[in-house]
Amino acid sequence: MTAARITVCLAGATGWAGSELARAIARSGDLVLVAGVSRTHAGRDLGDVLGDPQIKCPVYKSAAEALADWCDVFVEYTKPDTAKANVLAALERGAHVVVGTSGLTEQDYAEIDAAARQRGRGVLAVGNFALTMVLMQKFAEIAASMIPQWEIIDYAHDDKIDAPSGTVRELATRLSRVRPPEPAVPIEQTVGEREARGASLLGTHVHSIRLPGFVISAEVIFGMPDQRLSIRHDSGNSARPYVDGALIAIRRVSTLVGVHRGLDSVLDL
Ligand SMILES: NC(=O)c1ccc[n+]([C@@H]2O[C@H](COP(=O)([O-])OP(=O)(O)OC[C@H]3O[C@@H](n4cnc5c(N)ncnc54)[C@H](OP(=O)(O)O)[C@@H]3O)[C@@H](O)[C@H]2O)c1
């Protein structure tokens, strides 16, 4: 007997990240895309929109319409202003939810967690699905448990307007949960331009560089007397790095109840 395939509704199916994920789901064998969401392409077949004959599913203009048919897992990959309403609508319909969209607040997640627990459904929210970034976070957490001083450098292209990046914010938050860093000179005791020491994110000094020639990179440097450890992550230009982690999240989210943050929630690291 073959196992039932997991049905997926993908909000943001025509976007930079969502379209790459749609192609991978169509080739997966154990997942089936039953609906996509995009305002611009509503009413069309997603395979025609993406020029991919392996994809066959209707596109709806809103998550509410797409959710009229049953899906096991709803994937949110649109924009922060619609993400929360989409996630709550999916939980209301009884789906488990994977959130790739960035920008939801702690308050949003508290509300989503309450709704998910009430219905016994899982929500897996992952700020960066790239497996190499998940590993970087894990390696950095191990290092922070043994080394009390570190700083982060956040590199990006010159037209990125937000700083630090969401990925670096998440990294700083994770490290602060391991322990607060112990700088020899606290930032407020700096003599000269305090800004030169970077922003303080939960105690971690973060330095954002925005220059042409960079895509997105993050480097955390741990320092001890007469020794130094750098852990660095570099992303390319395509959305390919985010696919494998998103597929894992879709396959495993039904093992969870309530909101869980980070792909490591479903990995045995
Ligand atoms: N977690 C991760 O690893 C990861 C990786 C990459 C990106 N992201 C995040 O994922 C989100 C999407 O990024 P992206 O670069 O793929 O964006 P994008 O290329 O602009 O795609 C957005 C998608 O959402 C749809 N959409 C937007 N607003 C909508 C609305 N109100 N109703 C229905 N559909 C709507 C768009 O279609 P229409 O405009 O036709 O409606 C499009 O399909 C962002 O928050 C980004 O930061 C996360």
Side-chain angles (χ1 to χ4, degrees), residues 9 11 19-21 35 58 77 116 132 155 174 186 189 203 205 218 228:
C9 172
S19 58
E20 196 71 30
L21 180 59
Y77 237 155
T132 45
Y155 304 92
R174 281 172 172 266
Q189 290 174 23
H205 290 204
R228 205 164 58 229

Side-chain angles (χ1 to χ4, degrees), residues 110-174:
E111 254 179 78
I112 291 169
D113 184 58
R117 286 183 190 282
Q118 197 184 357
R119 289 169 183 80
R121 289 293 178 268
V123 176
L124 183 50
V126 181
N128 192 321
F129 284 114
L131 294 178
T132 45
M133 175 48 74
V134 175
L135 289 172
M136 180 197 192
Q137 289 169 341
K138 186 71 187 174
F139 297 153
E141 283 169 345
I142 294 170
S145 70
M146 302 176 76
I147 307 174
Q149 283 178 266
W150 63 82
E151 301 199 7
I152 300 178
I153 310 182
D154 160 43
Y155 304 92
H157 43 90
D158 60 333
D159 53 353
K160 183 172 174 60
I161 55 171
D162 58 311
S165 70
T167 296
V168 161
R169 282 182 190 278
E170 187 175 329
L171 186 58
T173 304
R174 281 172 172 266

Side-chain angles (χ1 to χ4, degrees), residues 4-195:
R5 296 201 290 170
I6 299 170
T7 53
V8 180
C9 172
L10 175 54
T14 59
W16 181 72
S19 58
E20 196 71 30
L21 180 59
R23 293 180 212 283
I25 291 173
R27 285 160 181 78
S28 67
D30 61 333
L31 310 176
V32 54
L33 202 52
V34 293
V37 180
S38 145
R39 295 157 301 178
T40 322
H41 302 285
R44 296 184 61 194
D45 181 80
L46 184 61
D48 292 340
V49 176
L50 301 183
D52 184 339
Q54 293 216 34
I55 301 175
K56 292 211 181 321
C57 87
V59 179
Y60 296 92
K61 77 168 186 305
S62 68
E65 285 183 26
L67 285 160
D69 290 330
W70 171 259
C71 67
D72 299 307
V73 177
F74 177 84
V75 179
E76 167 49 48
Y77 237 155
T78 63
K79 295 283 166 201
D81 55 349
T82 44
K84 184 171 108 181
N86 287 353
V87 171
L88 292 174
L91 290 170
E92 182 72 32
R93 295 286 302 166
H96 297 280
V97 179
V98 171
V99 184
T101 311
S102 52
L104 277 86
T105 64
E106 293 305 315
Q107 175 62 35
D108 292 335
Y109 277 117
E111 254 179 78
I112 291 169
D113 184 58
R117 286 183 190 282
Q118 197 184 357
R119 289 169 183 80
R121 289 293 178 268
V123 176
L124 183 50
V126 181
N128 192 321
F129 284 114
L131 294 178
T132 45
M133 175 48 74
V134 175
L135 289 172
M136 180 197 192
Q137 289 169 341
K138 186 71 187 174
F139 297 153
E141 283 169 345
I142 294 170
S145 70
M146 302 176 76
I147 307 174
Q149 283 178 266
W150 63 82
E151 301 199 7
I152 300 178
I153 310 182
D154 160 43
Y155 304 92
H157 43 90
D158 60 333
D159 53 353
K160 183 172 174 60
I161 55 171
D162 58 311
S165 70
T167 296
V168 161
R169 282 182 190 278
E170 187 175 329
L171 186 58
T173 304
R174 281 172 172 266
L175 296 185
S176 75
R177 281 192 214 120
V178 177
R179 66 155 88 176
E182 298 166 17
V185 179
I187 211 161
E188 56 281 0
Q189 290 174 23
T190 300
V191 176
E193 311 299 329
R194 275 188 196 174
E195 294 80 1

Side-chain angles (χ1 to χ4, degrees), residues 202-223:
L202 299 166
T204 292
H205 290 204
V206 176
H207 311 268
S208 291
I209 292 171
R210 298 289 179 262
L211 283 174
F214 286 103
V215 182
I216 299 276
S217 301
E219 184 175 8
V220 52
I221 305 171
F222 293 88

